Amino acid sequence: MNDLQGAIVLVTGSNGDIGKAIVHLFEERGAKVIRSDLEAPSRSSPGVDFIALDVTNEASWSKAISSIEERHGALDVLVNNAGIAPMTRMEDASLEQWRLCQQVNVEGSFLGLKTAAPLLARSGTRRDGGAAVVNLCSGASDKPTAFSAAYCVSKAAARMLTRVAAVEFSALAYLIRVNSVHPGVVESRMMDDILAKFSQISGGAPIDDLRKAVAAGNPMGRFVDPAEVAEAVVFLSSSAARFIHGDAIHVDGGYAAS
């Protein structure tokens, strides 16, 4: 049986390549997906459920969760996917840039957990394995990368937030599982921007050469497809993962192991 059929799912950062892949796969499995981002996509089909959400703003989160409860009466899955990845030398980074990265990547997930917990806990009583939260972390949670101090630190913090939320929700007897997915280098517009910035900072290395070097540094020899990330997110949200809690899945072709 497909336990995601009819499940109410909120995905943040739904306009990005990973977000779109996650939304598509949940919908393919029969879930009712609420997309959320700062702005609605320029092209959307009739009947698409979208909520404008600034993940750094607590009032915005409260409004979104209240709207979901009013319209759907439940929230079975929260996917904290929204994120940014600034690239700069530490000596050139502004404190404002550093703080924005922490606000989006860490505080955004914290506010999601905080505001959605009561509705998730109530919804979890009717699902095998309870409700589920999946936080999008990164290979940067585990291994440092030059020119990415703010991003690496934020994703390491998001990983610990996942673990803390898991044990705290269990201590409160909330039926909410919390896990994280750690993609490696994903084929995406964000990665294109990162490589372009890395090239600029490092003295103009050809981007094609950088792509080849990055792929060669992965044991499986290529970038991650967004659909492969989505598969891990949907798995952790399903009853097939009903005893996986406070853990991480690396979708990175062996990068974390190398």
Side-chain angles (χ1 to χ4, degrees):
M1 178 181 291
N2 178 12
D3 69 301
L4 290 172
Q5 183 72 40
I8 307 301
V9 180
L10 173 61
V11 179
T12 70
S14 62
N15 291 348
D17 293 300
I18 294 176
K20 289 177 182 177
I22 292 169
V23 168
H24 174 76
L25 188 57
F26 268 117
E27 290 183 335
E28 194 175 76
R29 302 288 169 85
K32 174 61 178 177
V33 182
I34 299 102
R35 297 161 169 81
S36 68
D37 216 307
L38 288 172
E39 297 179 353
S42 55
R43 296 180 181 178
S44 60
S45 304
V48 167
D49 198 339
F50 177 85
I51 293 178
L53 174 60
D54 177 357
V55 298
T56 70
N57 185 291
E58 187 168 0
S60 184
W61 266 109
S62 295
K63 182 178 178 181
I65 297 302
S66 294
S67 176
I68 292 169
E69 183 170 16
E70 181 179 335
R71 288 187 286 128
H72 301 287
L75 180 62
D76 300 302
V77 179
L78 168 62
V79 182
N80 284 313
N81 170 66
I84 60 173
M87 290 283 292
T88 184
R89 298 190 304 175
M90 278 191 282
E91 60 203 89
D92 296 329
S94 68
L95 185 57
E96 290 74 16
Q97 183 184 50
W98 173 276
R99 286 174 173 167
L100 178 61
C101 188
Q102 311 313 311
Q103 287 171 338
V104 175
N105 296 355
V106 186
E107 293 176 20
S109 294
F110 161 72
L111 289 172
L113 287 161
K114 174 184 177 179
T115 57
L119 184 56
L120 285 164
R122 291 196 296 274
S123 305
T125 61
R126 63 185 182 89
R127 294 189 76 223
D128 184 15
V133 177
V134 181
N135 294 327
L136 268 292
C137 291
S138 169
S141 303
D142 311 290
K143 297 175 73 171
T145 303
F147 315 132
S148 298
Y151 182 73
C152 291
V153 169
S154 72
K155 289 302 185 178
R159 171 67 184 117
M160 181 54 72
L161 175 64
T162 300
R163 297 169 66 190
V164 170
V167 297
E168 181 166 319
F169 287 169
S170 291
L172 293 168
Y174 292 170
L175 297 178
I176 308 171
R177 294 182 299 104
V178 189
N179 293 289
S180 59
V181 170
H182 298 230
V185 179
V186 178
E187 193 68 69
S188 62
R189 290 168 294 170
M190 178 183 281
M191 186 50 58
D192 290 342
D193 292 341
I194 289 172
L195 290 173
K197 189 64 175 178
F198 192 97
S199 173
Q200 178 185 344
I201 295 171
S202 61
I207 293 176
D208 284 347
D209 290 349
L210 288 175
R211 289 181 64 89
K212 291 175 182 176
V214 171
N218 185 306
M220 294 188 74
R222 64 171 175 85
F223 286 18
V224 185
D225 189 290
E228 293 168 325
V229 181
E231 288 282 1
V233 172
V234 171
F235 165 69
L236 286 172
S237 304
S238 74
S239 62
R242 60 187 170 273
F243 209 62
I244 300 176
H245 189 33
D247 214 335
I249 290 182
H250 289 78
V251 186
D252 64 0
Y255 172 75
S258 63

